[in-house]
Amino acid sequence: MTCTFFSKFLTSACAGLLALSAFSAAQAQTTLRVTTIPEEAATEQVRKFTPLANYLEKQLGMKVQFTPVTDYPAAVESLVNKKVDVVWFGGFTFVQASIRSGGKVVPLAQREEDTRFQSVFIAKTDSGIKTLADMKGKQVSFGSQSSTSGHLMPRSFLLQAKIEPEKDFKRIAYSGAHDATIASVVSGKVDAAALDITVWKKFVADNKVDTQAVNVFYTTPPYFNYNWSVHADMPADLREKIKAALLALNPANPEYAEILKLNRATRYVPTTPENYKGLESAARSAGLL
């Protein structure tokens, strides 16, 4: 009788586990998990991307779950290990994810701005820093070490100008995010810093920085940058639906225009892995890969 009881119990338990497993699989199939590199504070990331997540829910007919991550490497590992389905990468983090995954990360779309992106160097206007060479002997901040616009490309252009940060700067700091980079110059923690041009322009437009006190003294040449990427193991039909939804964001539609504005984009355009080969070369030349 006891054996019969446990036999029935185990059968019931197994059935329950199978049902739970099936439920979890169904949940995974109906929820699109999205994250982004933490280029700004988590609250700002949520504010920027929640309307886009809501839009994708309508377009895809599935729940979209947006969860900020703590740092740039976490965004890379999340997609490589398929803990999330879609990631907003910087160009360098895309390159890192592509290498880590053995080429199994697929870029779907980038902002039109990302086809000719730039970084800016800022300093206090009374600092005497007017050129890249004037930064020698100064305290300088980059953003995250994995940031394209806040570290890789500024470092690349410094090296091209025969300036070696570790040798020529008094101290190097890494702020972790573009808004923190601006704050480090405003507060006087560092003398100069490099960051994403669109974040700088946003701060200026929102009157969050006094350009009479802190301003741009150098703007880099253009390069390819950010994109939305997925893992190659994502079903092809879902991948194409996500790409089509991003490309369908037409600024002539007021609702879509607001989503694009929050993402600092005029529109989204298709992109390919080949667009980021230059960044990979720059990273290798700078000793970052």
Side-chain angles (χ1 to χ4, degrees):
M1 190 170 177
T2 303
C3 291
T4 302
F5 169 78
F6 278 109
S7 177
K8 288 181 177 179
F9 173 80
L10 289 172
T11 299
S12 177
C14 286
L17 288 172
L18 286 171
L20 181 60
S21 177
F23 176 77
S24 298
Q27 283 293 95
Q29 292 170 9
T30 57
T31 301
L32 189 75
R33 301 160 300 172
V34 180
T35 195
T36 71
I37 54 170
E39 55 180 345
E40 295 176 85
T43 51
E44 179 64 9
Q45 296 289 302
V46 171
R47 186 185 76 86
K48 281 168 53 180
F49 290 109
T50 295
L52 179 59
N54 293 338
Y55 163 77
L56 288 174
E57 283 192 347
K58 294 177 184 176
Q59 297 297 310
L60 303 176
M62 62 194 303
K63 181 179 178 181
V64 175
Q65 178 182 309
F66 175 72
T67 306
V69 292
T70 55
D71 55 37
Y72 283 56
V76 171
E77 293 305 314
S78 291
L79 189 60
V80 170
N81 295 312
K82 296 186 277 190
K83 300 296 184 183
V84 297
D85 304 299
V86 188
V87 178
W88 176 245
F89 278 138
F92 186 29
T93 38
F94 164 75
V95 169
Q96 291 174 318
S98 180
I99 292 171
R100 280 277 295 110
S101 66
K104 296 200 73 175
V105 169
V106 181
L108 299 183
Q110 61 184 170
R111 299 170 301 187
E112 191 171 39
E113 288 77 1
D114 294 314
T115 64
R116 52 179 188 281
F117 207 84
Q118 293 174 294
S119 297
V120 292
F121 283 83
I122 61 172
K124 287 191 173 181
T125 53
D126 62 0
S127 66
I129 300 175
K130 305 297 180 186
T131 68
L132 294 180
D134 293 336
M135 296 167 67
K136 290 184 176 182
K138 304 293 186 181
Q139 300 185 88
V140 179
S141 179
F142 295 111
S144 164
Q145 288 181 295
S146 295
S147 173
T148 309
S149 55
H151 181 219
L152 167 60
M153 294 314 291
R155 178 180 283 271
S156 180
F157 290 119
L158 284 167
L159 292 173
Q160 288 178 35
K162 308 300 181 186
I163 298 170
E164 297 182 32
E166 277 71 22
K167 185 178 79 173
D168 294 324
F169 296 157
K170 180 179 180 181
R171 179 174 72 90
I172 297 173
Y174 293 95
S175 71
H178 299 296
D179 47 3
T181 298
I182 296 173
S184 68
V185 177
V186 172
S187 66
K189 287 183 179 179
V190 295
D191 303 302
L195 71 146
D196 175 324
I197 191 172
T198 68
V199 176
W200 172 256
K201 286 182 175 179
K202 177 178 174 294
F203 265 63
V204 172
D206 293 346
N207 295 312
K208 290 183 177 180
V209 61
D210 179 5
T211 54
Q212 295 299 309
V214 175
N215 212 343
V216 173
F217 66 88
Y218 180 80
T219 301
T220 70
Y223 53 87
F224 280 97
N225 203 357
Y226 302 87
N227 67 55
W228 284 107
S229 285
V230 300
H231 198 282
D233 289 347
M234 174 182 281
D237 60 337
L238 178 56
R239 183 195 309 176
E240 289 307 311
K241 284 179 182 177
I242 295 169
K243 181 177 179 179
L246 292 169
L247 300 183
L249 284 166
N250 188 334
N253 179 317
E255 179 187 350
Y256 296 173
E258 182 59 26
I259 293 172
L260 289 167
K261 181 181 177 182
L262 283 169
N263 287 262
R264 301 193 294 273
T266 51
R267 65 189 179 108
Y268 282 102
V269 297
T271 191
T272 65
E274 287 68 37
N275 286 337
Y276 301 93
K277 291 299 183 184
L279 291 182
E280 182 177 345
S281 296
R284 294 191 185 282
S285 296
L288 300 178
L289 279 179

